[in-house]
Amino acid sequence: MVEIKKAGVEQAGIIKKVMHESFEEYNHFDPPSGAMKETEESIALALKAGEEWAAVLYENGIPLGMVRVKEEDTRFYFMRLSVLPEARGRGYARALISWVEAEAEKAGKAEVYCKVRCTTEDNIRRYEKLGYRVYRTITVTKLGTPFDIVAMSKPLST
């Protein structure tokens, strides 16, 4: 049985573990994903402070995916969407995104958005298939290396 549950501070370790195992493949990027520098403590602090919230996807009680969300005035920003490599191809990322969208609609938000590295073209295509559209390209610099990301959004029918 698959279920998605909103996570509390006590799940920060699960969130970190799923995120790190899922983002491992991006360690070869220059610069590597910032997800790998996040700790259980930093995640717990963000959750506790109310800066963000998270949800974990479980299959038969085993955590296989997660997503973190920041709530803004008119929209939700989801980030660090993660599905363990061995659980990919089962629709779990889509399920997590749909769950975030439903939560945004319940909260009366007008849209949901995310940011994606331009070098992860497969991820961009996946989001486009779910109705997300690129609305801005941004150049950011981390560790002295500039790289491009796209901001993608999907309007909701609230």
Side-chain angles (χ1 to χ4, degrees):
M1 179 175 81
V2 174
E3 58 184 338
I4 298 172
K5 295 180 181 178
K6 203 162 186 179
V9 173
E10 57 279 356
Q11 280 84 39
I14 292 169
I15 292 165
K16 181 203 146 249
K17 180 182 183 305
V18 170
M19 182 179 67
H20 279 206
E21 289 181 25
S22 300
F23 275 72
E24 179 70 31
E25 68 190 273
Y26 302 124
N27 255 348
H28 69 278
F29 284 3
D30 184 22
S33 171
M36 301 306 283
K37 292 188 183 229
E38 293 189 57
T39 65
E40 181 176 342
E41 294 76 23
S42 67
I43 294 165
L45 282 172
L47 293 171
K48 187 175 183 179
E51 296 169 9
E52 65 183 61
W53 52 269
V56 177
L57 180 142
Y58 298 88
E59 181 179 55
N60 298 321
I62 300 168
L64 298 176
M66 73 91 205
V67 64
R68 292 163 58 192
V69 179
K70 290 187 178 188
E71 188 170 339
E72 299 176 359
D73 287 341
T74 62
R75 59 192 188 161
F76 276 2
Y77 166 52
F78 75 84
M79 59 190 186
R80 305 290 197 227
L81 177 68
S82 305
V83 175
L84 294 177
E86 65 270 18
R88 293 180 184 160
R90 299 184 206 168
Y92 294 158
R94 179 178 303 134
L96 284 161
I97 293 168
S98 293
W99 190 87
V100 170
E101 291 169 359
E103 291 297 307
E105 285 184 335
K106 284 186 219 171
K109 304 300 180 184
E111 73 178 330
V112 173
Y113 78 103
C114 63
K115 295 176 184 171
V116 185
R117 277 195 198 215
C118 289
T119 53
T120 60
E121 295 171 5
D122 287 345
N123 289 344
I124 294 170
R125 280 193 292 278
R126 280 186 195 102
Y127 293 133
E128 287 175 336
K129 286 180 184 176
L130 296 175
Y132 287 79
R133 298 292 171 251
V134 173
Y135 69 91
R136 183 171 54 190
T137 302
I138 307 156
T139 300
V140 296
T141 301
K142 288 188 180 172
L143 303 174
T145 303
F147 60 97
D148 290 335
I149 61 172
V150 290
M152 303 181 74
S153 70
K154 179 179 180 178
L156 301 174
S157 57
T158 53

